[in-house]
Amino acid sequence: MALNQASQLYSGSDRLGPWCSPTGSPAPLSCETGCGEGSWILVCRLLVPTQVSLLSMEEDIDTRKINNSFLRDHSYATEADIISTVEFNHTGELLATGDKGGRVVIFQREQESKNQVHRRGEYNVYSTFQSHEPEFDYLKSLEIEEKINKIRWLPQQNAAYFLLSTNDKTVKLWKVSERDKRPEGYNLKDEEGRLRDPATITTLRVPVLRPMDLMVEATPRRVFANAHTYHINSISVNSDYETYMSADDLRINLWNFEITNQSFNIVDIKPANMEELTEVITAAEFHPHHCNTFVYSSSKGTIRLCDMRASALCDRHTKFFEEPEDPSNRSFFSEIISSISDVKFSHSGRYIMTRDYLTVKVWDLNMENRPIETYQVHDYLRSKLCSLYENDCIFDKFECVWNGSDSVIMTGSYNNFFRMFDRNTKRDVTLEASRENSKPRAILKPRKVCVGGKRRKDEISVDSLDFSKKILHTAWHPSENIIAVAATNNLYIFQDKVN
């Protein structure tokens, strides 16, 4: 399989074209392209704006162009610019990223035109706002990072867009809307917004709306705080779209979107004596169709399916998914690498996908004793676990995603590699999201890792892998073969060539 690519930094352009109407459940892919056949193209490489560029977002277009050229030439990045989450909205027209600096950057898909058909999959900056600020818990003498842990979109109900974003402690509901008119002719205020002297007001004016340049506004509508003692690792919107849940290391809370001062604790695994603690919650997600069902994974490599109809407190699971460990593979690192870093329901709701350190597993909801599919992501690292433990890489939390038809799964690896597994053909491919290989319209061949022996010209040795470059966060368009891959502060958009 070949991967054509063309590199382009974001242009920071204004809104382009009309919005697509919201759809229901994801439609089947128009073209089923497996991992071992067909070709993809890298349609753009988006650079998350730095702190410098955020200052110019409110300035004029000329200044913004100057700033974009600065980014294009230098591409400076700090720790705060590293992308920490990626999420498409339900139509795929918007793509949101959160970073370690607490910022949310929303990209909008560029509309296809007769003159530029190939640009159909490109995304440009639509809105940027500061979602979370660093805080300090004076009671516990702890710093609360501003890093965005997760973003979840709500289905579009009107012209505005809504999304949830969370850091370690606080979840916020944001409204993103457009404004192209402004009111003029106030009675008590002048055009600058200053209060007028009542003695000078002699006539009654009727305010009118005047056209203005399009402006995208992001406003916080709800702040859900003070409900988590430990760090929030997951948020998931329920299929009833009235509630959502937030999960930390030991508890899962259920929230109503209209109520911010209270939540319901639906899972609590905290022992009476913390010395007896043996596992923590690592991820949680609602069923895509049944509002009463959800799953959560643990650091012991287990998955629990819970039904809120059975009990108000879901400490007792309905189903328990666990694969028995092979005694021959038992080692000092077994418990660490078996910890599940991500769990995702399939779009159909029939399957669960989990990601641990070395593998991706697919579970059938009707079979609890073992997964129906197991895919080795980077088994060649099994011999490197000792050094990975020493540099803390063994604790990296990789995410995994389904494609729109649940036929292909994708997850990340090191050296900016990401892996695709075709469930139908059982083929897999390793691709690289690298700036060094981003030549315009060039072909990027699948990458192969050489474990030992004689190394071929197109292979890379496992000893030369760069563990500081890692693909932790990916997203797949809900109905098309378009994927987003985050590598430090770069966001790569790949598209199936025939999509």
Side-chain angles (χ1 to χ4, degrees):
M1 171 182 170
L3 185 73
N4 295 331
Q5 57 179 10
S7 176
Q8 176 195 2
L9 291 175
Y10 84 96
S11 62
S13 60
D14 291 327
R15 180 179 184 271
L16 301 171
W19 289 100
C20 293
S21 60
T23 59
S25 58
L29 295 182
S30 58
C31 178
E32 287 292 337
T33 301
C35 297
E37 52 192 345
S39 58
W40 294 60
I41 58 174
L42 171 59
V43 290
C44 55
R45 180 172 66 88
L46 305 167
L47 186 67
V48 170
T50 62
Q51 291 283 6
V52 177
S53 69
L54 283 180
L55 299 177
S56 66
M57 283 295 183
E58 303 298 330
E59 299 173 3
D60 58 87
I61 297 177
D62 292 335
T63 308
R64 196 182 305 176
K65 287 180 179 178
I66 294 174
N67 182 68
N68 288 342
S69 64
F70 171 83
L71 289 175
R72 186 176 297 110
D73 294 336
H74 301 278
S75 300
Y76 292 128
T78 64
E79 180 74 12
D81 300 321
I82 296 177
I83 298 173
S84 56
T85 184
V86 182
E87 187 78 8
F88 280 102
N89 74 336
H90 288 71
T91 64
E93 295 303 308
L94 295 182
L95 175 63
T97 65
D99 61 28
K100 290 187 175 182
R103 294 161 293 171
V104 173
V105 180
I106 301 177
F107 300 95
Q108 180 193 20
R109 188 176 183 179
E110 190 168 325
Q111 299 300 311
E112 182 181 12
S113 63
K114 294 181 179 180
N115 298 330
Q116 297 173 321
V117 178
H118 66 282
R119 300 186 64 180
R120 191 166 139 250
E122 291 189 8
Y123 285 75
N124 289 310
V125 171
Y126 176 65
S127 176
T128 304
F129 58 92
Q130 188 74 29
S131 176
H132 287 72
E133 300 282 354
E135 302 176 24
F136 189 82
D137 188 337
Y138 293 97
L139 294 177
K140 297 182 179 180
S141 297
L142 292 175
E143 293 184 1
I144 302 174
E145 292 184 349
E146 66 273 33
K147 171 190 171 186
I148 306 298
N149 292 337
K150 284 289 186 292
I151 289 175
R152 291 292 181 264
W153 290 90
L154 276 68
Q156 186 181 3
Q157 304 294 333
N158 48 43
Y161 298 88
F162 290 86
L163 62 87
L164 287 171
S165 64
T166 182
N167 65 350
D168 287 340
K169 299 291 184 181
T170 305
V171 183
K172 295 184 180 181
L173 175 65
W174 289 90
K175 177 184 178 182
V176 181
S177 56
E178 298 179 354
R179 185 153 62 95
D180 57 1
K181 293 182 176 61
R182 67 169 181 266
E184 291 184 357
Y186 287 107
N187 288 281
L188 301 180
K189 294 181 180 180
D190 59 19
E191 301 305 327
E192 302 296 327
R194 294 172 298 210
L195 290 175
R196 297 172 59 190
D197 184 0
T200 63
I201 303 176
T202 58
T203 59
L204 179 65
R205 296 189 294 177
V206 178
V208 295
L209 293 175
R210 302 290 186 189
M212 60 175 285
D213 293 336
L214 180 68
M215 184 169 62
V216 180
E217 296 178 318
T219 54
R221 300 304 301 270
R222 304 282 191 276
V223 178
F224 306 89
N226 305 320
H228 285 276
T229 306
Y230 307 96
H231 293 175
I232 299 174
N233 54 51
S234 302
I235 52 175
S236 179
V237 179
N238 202 346
S239 59
D240 61 10
Y241 303 130
E242 295 181 0
T243 58
Y244 77 93
M245 69 178 177
S246 56
D248 64 24
D249 294 337
L250 298 179
R251 297 187 178 98
I252 300 177
N253 294 332
L254 181 68
W255 299 83
N256 187 294
F257 280 110
E258 302 299 326
I259 303 172
T260 61
N261 58 357
Q262 68 177 1
S263 62
F264 296 95
N265 180 230
I266 55 177
V267 172
D268 188 350
I269 66 170
K270 181 181 179 181
N273 184 1
M274 285 296 285
E275 293 181 358
E276 300 174 358
L277 182 66
T278 59
E279 62 179 338
V280 296
I281 299 170
T282 56
E285 186 177 64
F286 268 118
H287 191 282
H289 308 305
H290 304 312
C291 62
N292 54 281
T293 308
F294 67 93
V295 296
Y296 68 92
S297 58
S298 81
S299 57
K300 275 192 170 182
T302 61
I303 310 105
R304 292 171 174 85
L305 179 72
C306 300
D307 191 336
M308 291 189 292
R309 296 173 300 183
S311 174
L313 187 62
C314 299
D315 287 348
R316 294 185 178 180
H317 50 266
T318 303
K319 291 188 176 183
F320 184 78
F321 301 85
E322 183 179 23
E323 183 178 23
E325 184 182 6
D326 186 354
S328 62
N329 292 332
R330 180 74 182 176
S331 69
F332 171 78
F333 307 105
S334 295
E335 291 188 5
I336 301 176
I337 64 175
S338 64
S339 176
I340 295 175
S341 57
D342 195 17
V343 59
K344 293 280 176 55
F345 271 107
S346 63
H347 294 91
S348 65
R350 172 69 185 273
Y351 305 102
I352 302 172
M353 174 171 54
T354 61
R355 171 69 203 266
D356 56 41
Y357 190 68
L358 295 178
T359 65
V360 173
K361 298 176 182 178
V362 178
W363 304 75
D364 192 313
L365 287 185
N366 298 323
M367 190 167 70
E368 305 172 48
N369 59 339
R370 61 183 177 85
I372 60 173
E373 301 165 21
T374 300
Y375 301 97
Q376 300 294 334
V377 179
H378 39 216
D379 197 54
Y380 46 79
L381 296 180
R382 195 175 293 274
S383 61
K384 301 288 184 181
L385 293 179
C386 186
S387 59
L388 292 168
Y389 178 80
E390 292 175 353
N391 61 18
D392 286 341
C393 285
I394 199 171
F395 302 105
D396 287 333
K397 300 182 184 302
F398 293 94
E399 297 177 1
C400 53
V401 291
W402 301 87
N403 73 336
S405 61
D406 300 333
S407 61
V408 181
I409 58 181
M410 176 177 60
T411 190
S413 182
Y414 293 104
N415 209 73
N416 277 354
F417 290 167
F418 62 97
R419 303 266 283 145
M420 286 185 177
F421 302 93
D422 192 311
R423 300 180 59 208
N424 297 325
T425 64
K426 303 304 178 185
R427 296 181 179 179
D428 63 86
V429 67
T430 301
L431 303 173
E432 183 180 6
S434 174
R435 185 182 177 189
E436 288 75 16
N437 296 325
S438 298
K439 296 180 180 179
R441 312 308 297 179
I443 295 177
L444 182 63
K445 297 180 180 179
R447 303 304 303 268
K448 293 182 180 180
V449 178
C450 176
V451 178
K454 199 169 183 179
R455 183 171 62 91
R456 297 182 180 178
K457 184 179 180 180
D458 58 344
E459 292 181 339
I460 181 171
S461 172
V462 66
D463 297 319
S464 59
L465 293 175
D466 189 346
F467 294 105
S468 65
K469 296 180 179 179
K470 58 194 77 173
I471 303 297
L472 301 177
H473 314 287
T474 59
W476 202 303
H477 191 285
S479 58
E480 296 184 35
N481 276 335
I482 298 176
I483 59 175
V485 177
T488 59
N489 69 320
N490 293 279
L491 185 67
Y492 294 84
I493 307 295
F494 298 90
Q495 180 183 16
D496 181 8
K497 189 174 182 179
V498 294
N499 186 27

